[in-house]
Structures are given as structure tokens and as C-alpha cells.
Amino acid sequence: MQSLTVLGATGSIGASTLDVVARHPDRYRVFALSGHRRVDELARLCVRFTPRYAVATGEGGAARLRELLREAGSRTEVLDGESALAEICAHDETDTVMAAIVGAAGLAPTLAAARRGKRILLANKEALVMAGHVFVSACREAGAVVLPIDSEHNAVFQCLPPAAQADARALDAGGVRRLLLTASGGPFRERALDDMHAVTPDEACAHPNWSMGRKISVDSATMMNKGLELIEASILFDVPEDRIEIVVHPQSVIHSMVEYLDGSVLAQLGNPDMRTPIAHALAYPQRIASGVGVLDLPRVGRLDFESPDPRRFPCLRLAREALRAGGGAPCVLNAANEIAVEAFFEGRVRFTGIAQVVERVLGELPAPGAPGDVAQVLDLDAQARAHARAALERIPA
Ligand code: NAD
Ligand code: MG
């Protein structure tokens, strides 16, 4: 029986995780759940999954959750305060942590899980991009196992030789030449270029293949999501930037590929439904049912591929540059992007302004050294956010 903590239980990945878990009550017990603003939903999940602990991080959330749970007669204990997220991850009675908080807020609890050697199902790519090697070393020191949830990285993982699944440092010995990450191209792959500045948040969130949270949906539309995933792949699989290629594949049926020295290319296919990578990571190295329907290839009909258009997707170039620059540049890229996307939702910057903000901040903080510990990561993150806020003042809304 695995005892599971779900960070970000009220989000899109959280919901898909609990959907899979509910299909296997004999294998998984929910130990703790966290949510931020949707306290009513969190309360409903507590009643359904009876975790021992729940954490509501939004303002006034804990008090409201306590009240709702008392009314419902739930025995779940509500924990308070900043440290509560780390506490439910590091607790002796949980062995697996689903890291599905969006953005930098997920870093501290995910690191707490790493330091206690937990099995980490990693959806929160921003935490990995900002903390990179600090996170990887914490995992290595404590023996934490990281299983990627991002569909591309999960696909790559599935296509790797077993020795490289156990330790990314064995990729070369396993004959791996390159990783090929697929990208749908998002909702604006074919939109007129001179119309891109007028894109609205709702249009940006209407992804053609995947249903996801709003921040990652905008990242998919700018393709910053693929940029973050490029960095994520480089860190997780210990592969340099020039051995990771991005291929646009509008059907989102091939979730990514691994190319070997002998010319073989292994791919993982499936319907675009996050319950597949989630079930894979939950059960690894076994397989369990996920609720995802069979892939009907005749109905899919064809699989198309193209190279990403650099004029349409400048964020992809910025992410590559940040990865090549190394050190703290990926952390700066991520922080600037989080601020720019937030501003886009609030109507303070245009869609095309997101890349402009990120580019400016990268230019203003060139080649920051690699943060050596979490305090340095958070410090650099804060600096980059301040620069991004200042840049927003200078970029027309
Ligand atoms: P979402 O917006 O649907 O959910 C985010 C979750 O994080 C919610 O539970 C929310 O309560 C919590 N949260 C938000 N701000 C918080 C804060 N400041 N402190 C604590 N908790 C906070 O997002 P999502 O689509 O589920 O994505 C979650 C993560 O998974 C992201 O990092 C995303 O990039 C990654 N991911 C998502 C998908 C997908 O298909 N949705 C695919 C791959 C990777
Ligand atoms: Mg992905």
C-alpha cells in the first residue's frame, strides 16, 4: 500500500491523480492533500478520500476548510502555515509525493520530499527549472526517486534503457544519441503572425488537445512550456541542450521519443490524457489501469511533424539561450515568465509582450552564477521578478 501526498490536489493534475488513485483503493491510500484557493473543492476531496491531513495555503483558507470539514463530520486534520506543505511531504507516514503545485510555490515542499528520500512524481516543472542541480543533488543525497509526470518526460523515461531509468548518468552507455520532445504547437500554430498581439487569455487557454491549468495553457500557447520542458529534460536526463530536439506534432499522439546511436527511434504513443503518465509513475515498474481509452490509430489517421517556427515562438529561443548560458539563467527565465503570464491574465501586457519581458530580464541579468542552495535560488528568483515587474512598466499593454 503506497501512502500518497498530493500537492496541488485541486488542480488539473491533482484531479487526474485522484481519478487514477480512486480506481485502485487496494494500492493507494491518500495521506495528505493541499490546495490554494478552491477551498470548497479541497473540502469535497477530503470527504471523499479521507486524508489524515489537509493544507489550504490561500489567505483565510485553513479556517474556512476547518469549518467546512467540521460541518461535514470529516476527521481530516487541517494544518496551518508556511511549513505545513513541507511537513506533509516529509512526514514518516507518506512515501510518495505528487508535486502538482503550479510555479515557484511548489519548490520548498518538493525539496522537503527530496531531502527525506521520498518517491517524487514530478509535475511541477517550474520548481525543477529554477532549482536545477540543487534539487537533483538533494535527491541523490537522500536517495529520492523522481518519476516524471510531464507527458514528454514520462514518454522519454519509458523509452530509455533500464539502466538509464535508474540513473540518468547511464544514458551514454545505453547508446542514447538524442531526445526528441514533441510539441502540439498550441492554439496559435497557424494564426496570422501579425494577429498574435491581439490574443486574449481565454483564447490562449483553449488548447486544441490537452485540458490543463491556465498558467501552463498560456505557456503552451507561447511555447515557453516547451522551453521549460527542454530545460527540464536537460536536468532530469543529464543531456546537453544540443542533444534535445523539439518537433511540432499537432496530433499529440506521440508524447516524445528517444533516438539511439544505431538509428533506432523509440516513441511512446497514447491518447493525450495525463492519467497515462500519472498511472505509469504511480505504479512503476508495474502497470495499472488509468481509465484512459484505447488509442484508435485508424481514427487518428495520420501523424504530422514540422519544425517550430522561430518567429512565432521566440520563447523557445529564449529558453534555449538560458539553458546554454547555464548557471542561474533558467531560474531567471522562469521567474520572468511567471510574472509576465500573471500580467497577461490581468490585461497588463499583451500576449506577444510575454516574450519581450523575459528577453529583457535575461538581458539585464546576464550569466548569473548557479545558485548553490535554496536561499540563493529564492534570492535570484526574487531579483528576476523585480526586474520583470520593472520591465512591465516599459512594455506597452
Ligand atoms: P492548476 O492551475 O490546475 O493547479 C495548480 C495547483 O496548485 C492547484 O491545486 C492550486 O491550488 C495550487 N497552487 C496554485 N498556487 C499555489 C500557491 N501559491 N501555493 C500553493 N499551492 C498553489 O495547474 P495544473 O495544470 O494542474 O499544473 C500543475 C503543475 O503541473 C504545473 O507545474 C504544470 O506545469 C505541470 N503540468 C501540468 C500538466 C497538465 O496537463 N495540466 C501537464 C504537465 C505538467
Ligand atoms: Mg508537457
Side-chain angles (χ1 to χ4, degrees), residues 25 42 54 102 110 120 213 279 287 334-335 346 392:
L42 184 56
V102 59
T110 309
I120 301 173
R287 296 272 181 177
N334 177 66
E346 291 165 4
L392 280 167

Side-chain angles (χ1 to χ4, degrees), residues 125 150-152 229:
K125 65 192 89 185
D150 219 341
S151 58
E152 297 75 7
E229 291 183 356

Side-chain angles (χ1 to χ4, degrees), residues 129 177-183 222-234 239-248 306-310 313-334 358-359 362:
V129 167
R177 186 158 58 194
R178 291 190 311 161
L179 309 182
L180 310 179
L181 302 183
T182 53
T222 59
M223 275 189 90
M224 181 58 96
N225 183 49
K226 213 50 55 179
L228 296 173
E229 291 183 356
L230 168 78
I231 299 170
E232 180 184 10
S234 171
V239 170
E241 171 268 327
D242 59 356
R243 284 170 61 192
I244 308 173
E245 174 137 27
I246 312 267
V247 185
V248 173
E306 63 193 45
S307 293
D309 176 354
F313 301 116
C315 286
L316 212 44
R317 166 180 56 83
L318 296 173
R320 252 194 210 284
E321 285 169 8
L323 180 55
R324 224 178 285 137
C331 175
V332 170
L333 172 98
N334 177 66
V358 175
E359 180 145 35
L362 282 171

Side-chain angles (χ1 to χ4, degrees), residues 162-378:
Q165 288 183 337
D167 186 341
R169 288 168 293 190
L171 236 73
D172 284 340
V176 171
R177 186 158 58 194
R178 291 190 311 161
L179 309 182
L180 310 179
L181 302 183
T182 53
S184 68
F188 308 131
R189 189 173 57 87
E190 293 178 315
R191 184 158 174 146
L193 269 184
D194 53 10
D195 206 24
M196 295 278 277
H197 68 277
V199 159
T200 67
D202 283 344
E203 286 176 307
C205 286
H207 196 279
N209 307 341
W210 298 92
S211 139
M212 309 181 285
R214 282 173 72 81
K215 191 262 178 183
I216 183 177
S217 296
V218 171
D219 286 347
S220 299
T222 59
M223 275 189 90
M224 181 58 96
N225 183 49
K226 213 50 55 179
L228 296 173
E229 291 183 356
L230 168 78
I231 299 170
E232 180 184 10
S234 171
I235 298 168
L236 277 179
F237 303 117
D238 202 13
V239 170
E241 171 268 327
D242 59 356
R243 284 170 61 192
I244 308 173
E245 174 137 27
I246 312 267
V247 185
V248 173
H249 163 49
Q251 291 89 357
S252 297
V253 165
I254 296 182
H255 299 309
S256 278
M257 297 168 260
V258 175
E259 180 188 281
Y260 286 85
L261 288 175
D262 61 5
S264 299
V265 176
L266 302 193
Q268 186 260 356
L269 284 74
N271 287 322
D273 186 322
M274 289 306 293
R275 290 176 301 174
T276 294
I278 290 167
H280 170 267
L282 275 170
Y284 178 81
Q286 296 172 347
R287 296 272 181 177
I288 55 171
S290 64
V292 177
V294 289
L295 178 63
D296 184 345
L297 281 171
R299 190 149 169 223
V300 172
R302 51 189 272 186
L303 301 177
D304 295 312
F305 305 96
E306 63 193 45
S307 293
D309 176 354
R311 285 173 313 158
R312 184 177 297 276
F313 301 116
C315 286
L316 212 44
R317 166 180 56 83
L318 296 173
R320 252 194 210 284
E321 285 169 8
L323 180 55
R324 224 178 285 137
C331 175
V332 170
L333 172 98
N334 177 66
N337 182 59
E338 284 195 32
I339 294 296
V341 172
E342 220 173 85
F344 171 62
F345 281 131
E346 291 165 4
R348 290 186 286 119
V349 75
R350 291 185 182 176
F351 183 73
T352 41
I354 296 174
Q356 291 172 355
V357 171
V358 175
E359 180 145 35
R360 275 201 196 202
V361 176
L362 282 171
E364 287 168 10
L365 293 169
D373 56 31
V374 196
Q376 289 175 14
V377 171
L378 295 177

